[in-house]
Amino acid sequence: MKEELNKEDVLRRLQELGTIIVTQIENGTFPKIPIPSRNVSNIIYDEKLKQYILGPQKVVRSAGNIRLIKALTQLIWTAWFSSRLLKDGKSFTLRELYYQSKNFPIIDFEEQKESDEIVTDLEALLGVPREEFGLTPKENSKIFGDIDIEYRVPVRFKGKIENLMTSPDGKAIGMSIATAKFLNCKAKMVIAIEKDGIFRRFIEEEAYEKFKAILIDTAGQAPRFARLLIRRLNQELKLPVYILTDADPWGVHIAGVIISGSANAAHIKGLVTPEAKWIGLWATDIKKYKLPTLPMKDRDLKRLEELIQDKRYSSDFWRNQLREFKELKRKAELESLSKHSLSFIVD
Amino acid sequence: MKEELNKEDVLRRLQELGTIIVTQIENGTFPKIPIPSRNVSNIIYDEKLKQYILGPQKVVRSAGNIRLIKALTQLIWTAWFSSRLLKDGKSFTLRELYYQSKNFPIIDFEEQKESDEIVTDLEALLGVPREEFGLTPKENSKIFGDIDIEYRVPVRFKGKIENLMTSPDGKAIGMSIATAKFLNCKAKMVIAIEKDGIFRRFIEEEAYEKFKAILIDTAGQAPRFARLLIRRLNQELKLPVYILTDADPWGVHIAGVIISGSANAAHIKGLVTPEAKWIGLWATDIKKYKLPTLPMKDRDLKRLEELIQDKRYSSDFWRNQLREFKELKRKAELESLSKHSLSFIVD
């Protein structure tokens, strides 16, 4: 593993790829790259390595063939972007990469499925997993922020004190953190974020310092421990809570559940934070920031109608946002802010 | 939130419940308890609290009615078990609670859905979320163990050193931990565990110390960062890796993917740990430990046939286990060891 995890080594492999292409152009030939075929017929089980590997079949991406030039261009762009991530010591989710590509009309990924395919080609070509060139997978519910806590459970940890800003991947929010005593808190607010990639972005861009914020990654609909912790931070430490979600009916509802609870937890009162504020992405942000949008699908529109009927969303503000969605019939994701720059979302 | 998180307060509420029942029996009446109804007609939106709450309707569980006595008994048992968890400073997942009940034939939960319902009744009755009486929800992929690591990313964390045994909920395995440099490691092995509840059990029972183990919670099929980290711990530190999964075709495959990779990552070599050992639950453990089992469903049997055809499982050992499953047509989960005791699984 060691060699694959070596940043310099991966950078060197990316540079070799660039050199091959530049050399071909300088020699006056159309650049082309042979890529290991990922066709089922080329997936073989290696008895010695004891794992599936790709066989010797190759597919060639060539600029000399009008049907293949686009895929080659996309591959080169993805390699270039990955080298930039590596040099900056940053990371992107596949979703963010897809949106970032919107800045380069010549790349023209129609859907994320296409950019995912190109990333897989690049993995095959370099022989290393995408994590090593800065493209991270989905992660899960966690916390990061400048607060000291004192554990109550499990027994062995009772009384132990820990700061929650030491692990840049975040600490998993389980029973021990959710029930811990709060000691020193230097943060001035809580930001609950729907998406892993954006949570990581806030850490990498040091937004926790800029906003003096405790960051909570809800990884979609906030799990109960996350909601419990958000409420406690709000009520016990009087920290304001801001919620950052996609601009779509699901994002609205993620905010709504943190603020007002869910119908299936109506029998308990300890999980809501009525004072929490949804700060976007709002429907009205879509126009304001000229965000790349996607059309709403039938299930989005159905969900929108349900929210319009829901008493929790009966204030003027919510009604206005829901009406805007209904007119637009389009949605936008947090990652769409990546269109502007690596760090736009926290600026 | 503060009051709900107070262990003594929750214990007091549980004791009050016990007192009501004991008093009724002493007075010569059949014990009965009114529980807030969770029927849709009783779920109302409270404008002031700004959340859904239960209305005034109650349902009565009474020992004087032969149809209701079972639910009352189950409720009292669940309350008793919860008070025990609280006093011991321990926690259980809903799945573990379901299996624990198998020690008490009089409780007789047929399916987990039933015990989940009773837990929800108890939440409604006490007015606090189940997390506060020790019943935890599902968590996600993480690590816990006595090893110091030095971060390489993000920039601000480069060179920072951290021990991975400080957070009893585990640390999320993201890019920073997966790519960190290993410094001092006092652990002698890695145990990869399929289930959150069992990962937590290993921490609460201090099994990490007994086995000198780094624990990794794969939370189902191991995510790629977890597989990358497992491989590095094995290859760079020469730590043996043991995999603990359910005794079913899915558990077999979780082990198989850690050991030999997945077909859709056949194009990269850096994610497998051929030396890792699957230590169970094996099909043969089902008889050996007299575990409570569930019948295999059609999808389990279909998956089993696929594994029998898969080259990765062609050694005598795997063939033998798969044959055993095929004969038994039954499966068992890790939590089924909870039948024996709170700590049986780590003894």
Side-chain angles (χ1 to χ4, degrees):
Chain A
M1 196 67 246
K2 210 165 186 174
E3 77 279 14
E4 285 96 343
L5 278 168
N6 192 308
K7 178 175 151 180
E8 282 66 38
D9 186 56
V10 178
L11 265 179
R12 189 179 46 72
R13 293 191 201 192
L14 284 165
Q15 276 155 0
E16 281 168 8
L17 183 62
T19 307
I20 290 170
I21 292 171
V22 171
T23 309
Q24 289 173 333
I25 294 175
E26 286 180 347
N27 291 344
T29 58
F30 280 116
K32 62 179 176 188
I33 306 175
I35 298 174
S37 164
R38 290 182 289 107
N39 193 294
V40 173
S41 67
N42 197 38
I43 295 178
I44 53 179
Y45 186 71
D46 185 307
E47 289 289 349
K48 211 171 130 203
L49 284 173
K50 292 198 179 304
Q51 77 167 99
Y52 282 116
I53 59 166
L54 294 184
Q57 295 169 29
K58 305 268 179 192
V59 290
V60 174
R61 294 282 154 73
S62 165
N65 182 325
I66 192 73
R67 287 184 302 111
L68 299 176
I69 192 165
K70 189 172 150 191
L72 182 68
T73 312
Q74 291 171 330
L75 182 70
I76 295 170
W77 177 80
T78 305
W80 167 78
F81 193 78
S82 299
S83 74
R84 208 181 124 197
L85 284 178
L86 269 183
K87 282 177 193 160
D88 292 352
K90 295 196 172 179
S91 62
F92 248 40
T93 60
L94 294 174
R95 196 80 184 139
E96 287 179 299
L97 181 79
Y98 165 67
Y99 278 112
Q100 178 67 219
S101 74
K102 298 284 176 196
N103 286 322
F104 302 85
I106 202 172
I107 306 306
D108 191 25
F109 292 116
E110 292 276 326
E111 292 187 41
Q112 192 193 324
K113 229 177 81 191
E114 292 175 37
S115 52
D116 288 358
E117 277 294 309
I118 295 291
V119 168
T120 310
D121 280 346
L122 191 59
E123 285 187 319
L125 197 55
L126 302 180
V128 297
R130 63 171 177 272
E131 288 82 352
E132 296 181 27
F133 42 91
L135 292 169
T136 68
K138 204 169 157 46
E139 296 163 18
N140 286 299
S141 174
K142 43 200 176 282
I143 187 168
F144 179 93
D146 199 356
I147 178 171
D148 295 330
I149 58 165
E150 182 184 324
Y151 289 113
R152 292 179 163 119
V153 289
V155 180
R156 162 81 69 108
F157 282 81
K158 198 179 151 90
K160 291 219 168 136
I161 294 169
E162 184 174 46
N163 182 280
L164 298 185
M165 207 170 55
T166 56
S167 309
D169 286 340
K171 289 176 182 167
I173 301 176
M175 166 168 266
S176 302
I177 287 183
T179 61
K181 217 181 281 185
F182 300 144
L183 302 180
N184 304 309
C185 176
K186 298 215 184 75
K188 302 289 181 210
M189 66 172 77
V190 174
I191 305 179
I193 302 168
E194 174 190 350
K195 292 276 184 71
D196 317 306
I198 308 301
F199 172 77
R200 188 159 186 92
R201 177 80 28 243
F202 271 62
I203 295 174
E204 287 186 356
E205 308 302 337
E206 297 169 16
Y208 55 89
E209 192 168 83
K210 180 169 178 180
F211 301 119
K212 297 199 180 308
I214 291 173
L215 308 175
I216 289 181
D217 174 14
T218 68
Q221 196 57 263
R224 292 168 48 136
F225 269 144
R227 277 148 62 196
L228 205 127
L229 193 57
I230 290 169
R231 179 184 164 106
R232 289 188 60 215
L233 289 165
N234 175 251
Q235 304 228 324
E236 295 177 31
L237 301 182
K238 309 293 171 212
L239 297 180
V241 173
Y242 301 104
I243 305 165
L244 205 49
T245 69
D246 288 343
D248 64 21
W250 314 93
V252 167
H253 194 58
I254 285 169
V257 166
I258 293 172
I259 297 169
S260 310
S262 63
N264 60 20
H267 59 288
I268 36 181
K269 296 193 184 67
L271 297 174
V272 302
T273 309
E275 290 166 29
K277 296 268 176 279
W278 182 47
I279 54 169
L281 294 180
W282 295 341
T284 46
D285 290 336
I286 292 179
K287 282 182 196 160
K288 192 170 163 194
Y289 297 108
K290 296 188 181 61
L291 299 175
T293 57
L294 301 166
M296 286 201 188
K297 296 187 176 160
D298 287 347
R299 58 190 287 272
D300 298 322
L301 293 168
K302 185 168 164 284
R303 192 78 186 101
L304 185 59
E305 284 307 320
E306 287 167 5
L307 297 188
I308 289 169
Q309 305 303 323
D310 192 317
K311 283 184 196 157
R312 279 171 292 182
Y313 307 107
S314 57
S315 72
D316 286 348
F317 168 75
W318 287 111
R319 272 189 198 287
N320 186 31
Q321 292 294 333
L322 293 174
R323 193 168 43 232
E324 185 87 9
F325 275 126
K326 206 172 166 178
E327 279 168 24
L328 278 174
K329 289 196 173 50
R330 299 192 73 83
K331 57 186 179 179
E333 294 183 90
L334 283 168
E335 293 93 332
S336 65
L337 291 165
S338 302
K339 178 196 154 196
H340 295 297
S341 77
L342 271 170
S343 58
F344 181 79
I345 196 167
V346 303
D347 294 337
Chain B
M1 198 68 245
K2 210 167 185 176
E3 76 278 15
E4 285 97 342
L5 278 169
N6 192 307
K7 178 175 152 182
E8 282 66 39
D9 186 57
V10 178
L11 266 179
R12 189 179 47 72
R13 293 189 201 193
L14 284 164
Q15 276 155 1
E16 282 168 7
L17 183 63
T19 307
I20 290 171
I21 292 169
V22 170
T23 309
Q24 289 174 333
I25 294 175
E26 286 180 346
N27 290 343
T29 59
F30 280 117
K32 63 179 175 191
I33 305 175
I35 299 175
S37 164
R38 290 183 289 109
N39 193 291
V40 174
S41 66
N42 197 38
I43 296 178
I44 53 179
Y45 185 70
D46 185 309
E47 290 289 348
K48 213 171 124 200
L49 283 173
K50 293 200 178 303
Q51 77 167 102
Y52 282 116
I53 59 166
L54 294 183
Q57 296 169 28
K58 305 268 178 190
V59 291
V60 174
R61 295 281 154 74
S62 166
N65 181 326
I66 192 76
R67 285 183 303 111
L68 300 176
I69 193 166
K70 188 171 151 194
L72 181 69
T73 312
Q74 291 171 331
L75 182 70
I76 295 170
W77 177 81
T78 305
W80 167 78
F81 192 78
S82 299
S83 73
R84 208 181 124 197
L85 285 178
L86 269 182
K87 282 177 194 162
D88 292 353
K90 295 195 171 177
S91 62
F92 248 41
T93 60
L94 293 174
R95 196 80 186 140
E96 288 179 298
L97 181 80
Y98 164 68
Y99 277 112
Q100 178 67 219
S101 74
K102 298 284 177 200
N103 286 322
F104 302 85
I106 201 174
I107 305 304
D108 192 25
F109 292 117
E110 291 276 328
E111 291 187 42
Q112 191 191 327
K113 228 176 82 191
E114 292 175 37
S115 53
D116 288 357
E117 277 294 309
I118 295 291
V119 168
T120 310
D121 280 346
L122 191 58
E123 286 187 318
L125 197 54
L126 303 180
V128 298
R130 63 172 177 271
E131 289 82 351
E132 297 183 25
F133 42 91
L135 291 169
T136 68
K138 202 168 159 47
E139 294 163 19
N140 287 299
S141 172
K142 41 198 177 286
I143 186 167
F144 179 93
D146 199 355
I147 178 170
D148 295 330
I149 58 165
E150 182 183 324
Y151 290 112
R152 292 181 164 118
V153 289
V155 179
R156 162 82 69 107
F157 282 81
K158 198 178 152 91
K160 290 219 168 135
I161 293 169
E162 184 174 47
N163 182 279
L164 298 185
M165 208 170 53
T166 56
S167 309
D169 286 340
K171 287 176 184 168
I173 301 175
M175 165 167 265
S176 302
I177 287 184
T179 62
K181 215 181 281 183
F182 300 144
L183 302 179
N184 304 309
C185 176
K186 297 215 183 76
K188 302 288 181 213
M189 67 171 78
V190 174
I191 305 179
I193 301 168
E194 174 190 351
K195 292 276 184 74
D196 318 304
I198 307 301
F199 172 78
R200 187 157 186 93
R201 177 80 27 246
F202 270 62
I203 295 174
E204 287 186 356
E205 308 301 337
E206 297 169 16
Y208 56 89
E209 191 169 84
K210 180 169 177 177
F211 301 118
K212 297 198 182 307
I214 291 172
L215 309 175
I216 289 180
D217 174 13
T218 68
Q221 196 58 263
R224 290 168 48 138
F225 270 144
R227 276 147 64 197
L228 205 128
L229 193 57
I230 290 170
R231 179 183 164 108
R232 289 188 59 214
L233 289 165
N234 174 252
Q235 303 228 324
E236 295 177 30
L237 301 182
K238 309 293 171 214
L239 296 181
V241 173
Y242 301 104
I243 306 165
L244 205 50
T245 70
D246 288 343
D248 65 21
W250 314 93
V252 167
H253 194 57
I254 285 169
V257 167
I258 293 173
I259 297 169
S260 310
S262 63
N264 59 20
H267 59 289
I268 36 182
K269 297 196 183 64
L271 297 175
V272 303
T273 309
E275 291 167 26
K277 297 268 177 280
W278 182 47
I279 54 169
L281 293 180
W282 296 342
T284 45
D285 289 336
I286 292 178
K287 282 183 196 158
K288 190 169 163 197
Y289 297 107
K290 296 190 182 58
L291 298 176
T293 57
L294 301 166
M296 284 199 189
K297 295 188 176 158
D298 287 346
R299 58 190 286 273
D300 298 322
L301 293 168
K302 185 169 165 282
R303 193 75 188 105
L304 185 57
E305 282 308 318
E306 286 167 6
L307 296 187
I308 289 170
Q309 304 304 323
D310 191 317
K311 282 185 195 156
R312 280 171 291 181
Y313 307 107
S314 58
S315 72
D316 286 349
F317 168 75
W318 286 111
R319 274 189 196 285
N320 186 31
Q321 292 295 331
L322 293 174
R323 192 165 45 231
E324 185 86 8
F325 275 125
K326 206 172 166 178
E327 279 168 25
L328 278 173
K329 288 196 174 50
R330 299 192 74 81
K331 56 185 179 178
E333 294 182 89
L334 283 168
E335 293 93 330
S336 65
L337 291 164
S338 302
K339 178 194 153 197
H340 294 297
S341 78
L342 270 170
S343 58
F344 181 79
I345 196 167
V346 304
D347 294 339

